[in-house]
């Protein structure tokens, strides 16, 4: 059943805490955005490892370049803001010329989500829900979306994103867009972090950051992170920095169909983040466009101040028949799970 659309008038942006005594996460119902995530490093010292703001106001004003939010209906870029599905051409807002990015001008990151469930205790969790209407930002059909963040162990957070296409086939690809800095959000750039990405292939892009359609091996290129490597080691060879979709094709599987996507380590704090997902790709983005953003505690975030590990369907998949399909048929469900495991080593 459609909820009463007037019910949405009562929603206001709020901050919610998930705290299990070891890690602490703050999330707002505006875009299901993680605003703060504190985990221990060596000597047990806590640090907030995500870029963001102290209150919801800057997010409302559009000060954040997608800090911490869930993006949709379709994450990443759609070429020229157009696609054809079942013989009908759809046009989308061009919000990152010449393409449509992260769902358009008012994507899921700008929406106020309803809190469906909020649990405290040893495994605290919060579930947000949102109903996206037929025609919203140019996309076909009604879609019901939920996102559940849960602390599943002392230093592990799980995110389950689900979206049901209610009455029309539609592309759906949700992504979580947190900018991580494992040394602490206010500690400068991430070029000395090391990263390993379980991807033997990458999807190269044209001058407008749209994949060409090719799927090429990373071996002997600056995109080879199949063994642990400094983020900054070859970054000068890729223009402004990394902003590319990696094909997650070689990670070992955990139970429940999640495969190893990435391992990031900060040498100064010894903090490690292992990311597991069921998604086909991951946009590895090194904060190339961040410049002079005044964040939490008046920290100023600059270029490469954080890195994003946006597991996702491939960019522009709706226009690339050789990419895994992101189309969800009526009555079917898109499911995207991410597991963030923090540790010290």
């Amino acid at each position: 059943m459609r909820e009463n659309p007037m019910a949405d008038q009562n929603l206001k942006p709020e901050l919610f805490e998930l705290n299990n005594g070891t890690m602490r996460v703050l999330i707002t119902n505006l875009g299901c955005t993680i605003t703060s995530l504190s985990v221990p490093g060596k000597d047990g010292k806590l640090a907030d490892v995500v870029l963001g703001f102290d209150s919801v106001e800057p997010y409302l004003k559009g000060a954040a370049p997608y800090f911490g939010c869930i993006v949709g209906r379709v994450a990443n870029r759609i070429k020229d803001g157009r696609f054809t599905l079942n013989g009908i051409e759809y046009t989308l807002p061009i919000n990152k010329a010449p393409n449509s990015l992260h769902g358009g001008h008012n994507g899921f990151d700008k929406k106020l989500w309803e809190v469906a469930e909020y649990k405290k205790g040893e495994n605290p969790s919060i579930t947000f829900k949102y109903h996206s209407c037929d025609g919203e930002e140019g996309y076909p059909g009604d879609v019901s979306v939920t996102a559940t963040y849960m602390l599943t162990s002392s230093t592990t957070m799980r995110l389950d994103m689900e979206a049901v296409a209610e009455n029309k086939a539609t592309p759906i690809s949700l992504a979580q867009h947190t900018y991580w800095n494992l040394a602490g959000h206010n500690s400068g750039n991430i070029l000395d972090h090391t990263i390993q990405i379980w991807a033997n292939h990458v999807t190269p892009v044209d001058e407008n950051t749209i994949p060409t359609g090719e799927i090429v091996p990373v071996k002997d290129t600056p995109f080879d992170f199949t063994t642990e490597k400094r983020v900054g080691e070859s970054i000068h060879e890729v223009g402004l920095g990394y902003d590319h979709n990696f094909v997650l094709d070689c990670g070992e599987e955990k139970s429940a169909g999640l495969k190893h996507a990435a391992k990031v380590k900060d040498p100064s704090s010894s903090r490690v983040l292992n990311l597991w997902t069921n998604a086909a790709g991951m946009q590895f983005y090194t904060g190339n466009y961040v410049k002079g953003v005044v964040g939490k505690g008046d920290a100023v975030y600059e270029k490469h101040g954080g890195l994003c590990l946006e597991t996702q369907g491939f960019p522009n998949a709706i226009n690339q028949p050789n990419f895994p399909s992101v189309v969800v048929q009526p009555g079917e469900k898109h499911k995207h799970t991410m597991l963030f495991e923090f540790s010290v080593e």
Side-chain angles (χ1 to χ4, degrees), residues 99-117:
N99 306 309
S100 192
L101 176 69
H102 292 328
H105 293 304
N106 284 299
F108 292 0
D109 63 299
K110 313 267 191 323
K111 304 295 185 183
L112 285 170
W113 296 50
E114 201 179 319
V115 177
E117 193 171 43

Side-chain angles (χ1 to χ4, degrees), residues 204-223:
V205 293
D206 67 15
E207 68 282 5
N208 295 317
T209 329
I210 289 285
T212 59
E214 302 162 283
I215 295 174
V216 302
V218 296
K219 194 172 162 52
D220 302 324
T221 75
F223 302 99

Side-chain angles (χ1 to χ4, degrees), residues 65-81:
Y66 300 102
F67 284 167
C69 56
I70 288 179
V71 293
R73 184 178 299 195
V74 174
N76 216 297
R77 291 164 181 83
I78 292 180
K79 185 178 182 174
D80 300 330

Side-chain angles (χ1 to χ4, degrees), residues 180 182 194-199 225 228 246 248 250-252 259-265 272-277 281-284 307-311 338-342:
W180 303 98
L182 298 182
T194 60
I195 187 166
Q196 184 171 359
I197 302 174
W198 277 268
F225 291 99
E228 207 171 296
F246 286 73
L248 300 175
C250 58
E252 75 274 27
K259 54 185 189 277
H260 214 164
K263 176 186 179 182
V264 182
K265 184 175 178 183
V272 173
L273 166 57
N274 276 285
L275 174 61
W276 303 75
T277 187
M282 184 183 81
Q283 193 83 1
F284 174 45
L307 58 82
C308 301
L309 307 167
E310 305 158 57
T311 59
M338 304 174 80
L339 195 68
F340 304 89
E341 289 185 331
F342 296 92

